[in-house]
Amino acid sequence: MVREEIVLADGLEKGVLEWAEVPAPATMKEVLDAYDRHHDGATKKLQAVPPERWDQPVPFMYGGQQVMNEPGAENAWGFLLDLIHHRGQLSTYLRPMGAKVPQIYGPSADEPM
């Protein structure tokens, strides 16, 4: 999740989103440490994005090739919807593994309210 925040914030700041595959953290501690190190900075960068950047096309690069060229706001919505999608995927694995599905975006059958 923090990887998406970093790419979006850096990309909107400089006018081009550049996705590069990076190794996944090996432990939950590494995940939390990465989040703690980067979240506040990414949030500040997003808050500082000039209004016109949200409306301008911001190329999305992957492997050195442009794969999209949507306005900054569309990129941000795309990242948000992707995060929602992946949280939903993860929640479907919990119950079969014997865990409870938490309240992610509202009550769940395991945590009604």
Side-chain angles (χ1 to χ4, degrees):
M1 178 199 255
V2 75
R3 177 81 180 118
E4 287 86 355
E5 288 180 1
I6 293 167
V7 170
L8 182 63
D10 289 349
L12 290 177
E13 181 180 61
K14 57 186 183 175
V16 61
L17 297 161
E18 297 178 88
W19 188 267
E21 296 298 328
V22 296
T27 66
M28 184 54 70
K29 180 177 180 347
E30 289 178 24
V31 170
L32 297 173
D33 287 347
Y35 185 84
D36 289 341
R37 277 192 319 274
H38 297 286
H39 174 72
D40 289 341
T43 298
K44 287 177 185 172
K45 283 182 182 184
L46 287 169
Q47 291 170 337
V49 171
E52 59 275 4
R53 179 62 53 83
W54 294 100
D55 296 326
Q56 297 169 344
V58 180
F60 189 107
M61 308 297 288
Y62 178 74
Q65 295 197 356
Q66 181 176 308
V67 293
M68 292 189 299
N69 193 29
E70 302 299 324
E74 292 295 321
N75 282 305
W77 274 111
F79 274 67
L80 175 64
L81 295 174
D82 189 57
L83 291 171
I84 292 168
H85 162 75
H86 289 295
R87 282 186 185 185
Q89 282 183 314
L90 289 172
S91 71
T92 64
Y93 295 120
L94 294 174
R95 196 172 285 122
M97 292 176 16
K100 292 186 177 194
V101 176
Q103 294 184 24
I104 298 173
Y105 300 108
S108 74
D110 298 322
E111 292 185 359
M113 272 286 202

XYZ file of all heavy atoms in Angstrom, residues 23-61:
312
model
N 11.372 -5.669 -4.528
C 11.120 -6.862 -3.729
C 10.150 -6.568 -2.582
O 10.212 -5.500 -1.972
C 12.497 -7.246 -3.183
C 13.479 -6.500 -4.023
C 12.777 -5.291 -4.549
N 9.275 -7.507 -2.326
C 8.336 -7.364 -1.209
C 9.090 -7.483 0.109
O 10.061 -8.247 0.207
C 7.262 -8.442 -1.288
N 8.663 -6.736 1.115
C 9.289 -6.880 2.428
C 9.163 -8.322 2.920
O 8.166 -8.996 2.660
C 8.485 -5.935 3.311
C 7.848 -4.968 2.356
C 7.615 -5.742 1.099
N 10.186 -8.783 3.639
C 10.221 -10.177 4.085
C 9.378 -10.421 5.332
O 8.920 -11.531 5.560
C 11.670 -10.603 4.339
N 9.168 -9.384 6.136
C 8.446 -9.566 7.399
C 7.400 -8.463 7.568
O 7.482 -7.409 6.927
C 9.410 -9.499 8.601
O 9.950 -8.169 8.686
C 10.529 -10.526 8.481
N 6.458 -8.709 8.450
C 5.452 -7.691 8.750
C 6.116 -6.463 9.373
O 5.724 -5.335 9.110
C 4.375 -8.253 9.687
C 3.262 -7.267 9.947
S 2.471 -6.587 8.458
C 1.617 -8.002 7.843
N 7.149 -6.664 10.157
C 7.871 -5.536 10.745
C 8.438 -4.641 9.644
O 8.366 -3.415 9.742
C 8.987 -6.018 11.663
C 9.764 -4.864 12.302
C 10.819 -5.341 13.264
C 11.610 -4.251 13.930
N 11.561 -2.916 13.460
N 8.990 -5.229 8.587
C 9.520 -4.442 7.474
C 8.399 -3.673 6.764
O 8.609 -2.536 6.333
C 10.251 -5.339 6.480
C 11.568 -5.878 6.996
C 12.247 -6.801 6.000
O 11.974 -6.700 4.782
O 13.053 -7.640 6.446
N 7.237 -4.292 6.640
C 6.087 -3.612 6.026
C 5.717 -2.387 6.854
O 5.562 -1.279 6.337
C 4.869 -4.563 5.915
C 3.615 -3.797 5.502
C 5.156 -5.696 4.950
N 5.582 -2.587 8.167
C 5.194 -1.484 9.049
C 6.261 -0.399 9.108
O 5.946 0.796 9.126
C 4.883 -2.016 10.450
C 3.691 -2.975 10.514
C 3.568 -3.584 11.904
C 2.410 -2.288 10.095
N 7.526 -0.795 9.114
C 8.620 0.188 9.115
C 8.595 1.030 7.841
O 8.781 2.248 7.894
C 9.977 -0.509 9.262
C 10.227 -1.049 10.657
O 9.471 -0.694 11.595
O 11.172 -1.859 10.808
N 8.364 0.387 6.698
C 8.304 1.119 5.425
C 7.141 2.108 5.455
O 7.275 3.262 5.024
C 8.153 0.159 4.254
N 6.011 1.671 5.963
C 4.847 2.558 6.059
C 5.173 3.751 6.953
O 4.922 4.901 6.588
C 3.645 1.787 6.593
C 2.384 2.617 6.594
C 1.608 2.732 5.454
C 1.973 3.294 7.733
C 0.463 3.500 5.436
C 0.835 4.069 7.732
C 0.082 4.165 6.588
O -1.050 4.941 6.570
N 5.754 3.482 8.121
C 6.094 4.556 9.058
C 7.093 5.540 8.448
O 7.010 6.746 8.677
C 6.653 3.994 10.363
C 5.595 3.307 11.213
O 4.386 3.563 11.001
O 5.975 2.521 12.102
N 8.031 5.043 7.659
C 9.049 5.903 7.052
C 8.497 6.780 5.926
O 8.975 7.885 5.722
C 10.198 5.066 6.472
C 11.233 4.639 7.453
C 12.486 4.073 6.781
N 12.252 3.209 5.634
C 12.010 1.900 5.702
N 11.960 1.292 6.871
N 11.821 1.196 4.609
N 7.520 6.289 5.184
C 7.126 6.963 3.948
C 5.745 7.612 3.935
O 5.512 8.515 3.128
C 7.203 5.977 2.775
C 8.575 5.472 2.522
N 9.555 6.237 1.947
C 9.148 4.278 2.796
C 10.664 5.541 1.857
N 10.447 4.341 2.356
N 4.824 7.165 4.761
C 3.437 7.624 4.657
C 3.291 9.136 4.841
O 2.655 9.810 4.023
C 2.535 6.875 5.635
C 1.139 7.402 5.667
N 0.251 7.208 4.627
C 0.487 8.155 6.576
C -0.887 7.806 4.911
N -0.769 8.389 6.087
N 3.863 9.684 5.893
C 3.691 11.115 6.157
C 4.282 11.971 5.035
O 3.676 12.954 4.614
C 4.305 11.508 7.499
C 3.505 10.976 8.690
O 2.324 10.621 8.510
O 4.074 10.921 9.796
N 5.451 11.584 4.543
C 6.072 12.337 3.447
C 5.239 12.283 2.184
O 5.080 13.297 1.478
N 4.706 11.108 1.868
C 3.870 10.975 0.676
C 2.602 11.813 0.822
O 2.171 12.471 -0.128
C 3.521 9.506 0.433
N 2.019 11.805 2.009
C 0.812 12.597 2.256
C 1.093 14.079 2.053
O 0.312 14.790 1.406
C 0.278 12.335 3.673
O -0.068 10.950 3.784
C -0.945 13.180 3.976
N 2.217 14.562 2.568
C 2.567 15.981 2.411
C 2.784 16.326 0.938
O 2.373 17.397 0.487
C 3.808 16.306 3.237
C 3.518 16.351 4.715
C 4.768 16.608 5.540
C 4.407 16.513 7.013
N 5.566 16.550 7.874
N 3.424 15.441 0.197
C 3.626 15.687 -1.232
C 2.282 15.776 -1.957
O 2.082 16.649 -2.805
C 4.469 14.582 -1.868
C 5.933 14.693 -1.572
C 6.694 13.592 -2.292
C 8.169 13.664 -1.974
N 8.940 12.664 -2.722
N 1.361 14.870 -1.638
C 0.047 14.892 -2.285
C -0.714 16.173 -1.953
O -1.383 16.750 -2.809
C -0.771 13.661 -1.891
C -0.302 12.352 -2.518
C -0.998 11.169 -1.856
C -0.534 12.345 -4.022
N -0.598 16.626 -0.715
C -1.272 17.867 -0.325
C -0.679 19.080 -1.026
O -1.360 20.084 -1.216
C -1.208 18.039 1.191
C -2.061 17.028 1.930
C -1.839 17.027 3.432
O -0.804 17.450 3.927
N -2.830 16.523 4.165
N 0.583 18.988 -1.434
C 1.263 20.118 -2.070
C 1.133 20.120 -3.599
O 1.594 21.050 -4.250
C 2.746 20.104 -1.689
N 0.511 19.100 -4.158
C 0.360 19.044 -5.622
C -0.476 20.242 -6.068
O -1.563 20.475 -5.549
C -0.309 17.719 -6.063
C -0.676 17.754 -7.537
C 0.591 16.540 -5.753
N 0.028 21.008 -7.040
C -0.745 22.164 -7.504
C -2.066 21.715 -8.161
O -2.112 20.672 -8.813
C 0.166 22.855 -8.526
C 1.316 21.945 -8.758
C 1.298 20.869 -7.723
N -3.116 22.505 -7.991
C -4.430 22.106 -8.526
C -4.415 21.745 -10.011
O -5.080 20.800 -10.424
C -5.307 23.337 -8.269
C -4.652 24.032 -7.118
C -3.180 23.774 -7.269
N -3.632 22.462 -10.803
C -3.633 22.175 -12.246
C -3.054 20.805 -12.565
O -3.416 20.192 -13.569
C -2.895 23.272 -13.033
C -1.451 23.484 -12.652
C -1.233 24.425 -11.471
O -2.215 24.898 -10.861
O -0.057 24.677 -11.151
N -2.162 20.288 -11.725
C -1.565 18.965 -11.975
C -2.621 17.874 -11.909
O -2.543 16.871 -12.595
C -0.441 18.707 -10.971
C 0.274 17.372 -11.069
C 1.001 17.119 -12.389
N 1.918 18.142 -12.802
C 3.170 18.304 -12.424
N 3.711 17.471 -11.586
N 3.892 19.297 -12.886
N -3.648 18.078 -11.075
C -4.707 17.077 -10.961
C -5.499 16.957 -12.264
O -6.075 15.918 -12.539
C -5.633 17.408 -9.791
C -4.954 17.312 -8.468
C -4.468 18.349 -7.722
C -4.656 16.129 -7.737
N -3.886 17.870 -6.574
C -3.983 16.514 -6.552
C -4.876 14.769 -7.966
C -3.552 15.595 -5.601
C -4.444 13.853 -7.014
C -3.789 14.272 -5.846
N -5.525 18.045 -13.046
C -6.287 18.060 -14.298
C -5.447 17.742 -15.530
O -5.997 17.435 -16.588
C -6.944 19.436 -14.494
C -7.972 19.743 -13.416
O -8.649 18.793 -12.950
O -8.101 20.915 -13.028
N -4.128 17.834 -15.417
C -3.236 17.603 -16.559
C -2.932 16.116 -16.725
O -2.864 15.386 -15.740
C -1.907 18.327 -16.350
C -2.011 19.818 -16.272
C -0.697 20.450 -15.806
O 0.181 19.788 -15.284
N -0.597 21.756 -15.994
N -2.695 15.696 -17.967
C -2.244 14.316 -18.177
C -0.903 14.081 -17.482
O -0.009 14.920 -17.532
C -2.088 14.200 -19.693
C -2.958 15.279 -20.242
C -2.913 16.392 -19.239
N -0.806 12.952 -16.797
C 0.429 12.551 -16.120
C 0.766 11.156 -16.645
O 0.083 10.190 -16.317
C 0.261 12.531 -14.586
C 1.551 12.102 -13.907
C -0.189 13.895 -14.073
N 1.789 11.054 -17.484
C 2.133 9.741 -18.038
C 2.440 8.719 -16.943
O 3.058 9.049 -15.927
C 3.386 10.016 -18.880
C 3.394 11.483 -19.106
C 2.690 12.098 -17.940
N 2.002 7.500 -17.154
C 2.286 6.379 -16.258
C 3.231 5.453 -17.005
O 2.875 4.899 -18.046
C 0.990 5.661 -15.899
C 1.138 4.627 -14.824
C 0.643 4.851 -13.553
C 1.770 3.420 -15.075
C 0.774 3.895 -12.558
C 1.918 2.460 -14.084
C 1.413 2.700 -12.825
N 4.434 5.323 -16.471
C 5.485 4.550 -17.124
C 5.709 3.226 -16.391
O 5.706 3.185 -15.160
C 6.795 5.340 -17.148
C 6.674 6.737 -17.725
S 6.192 6.761 -19.446
C 7.705 6.180 -20.190
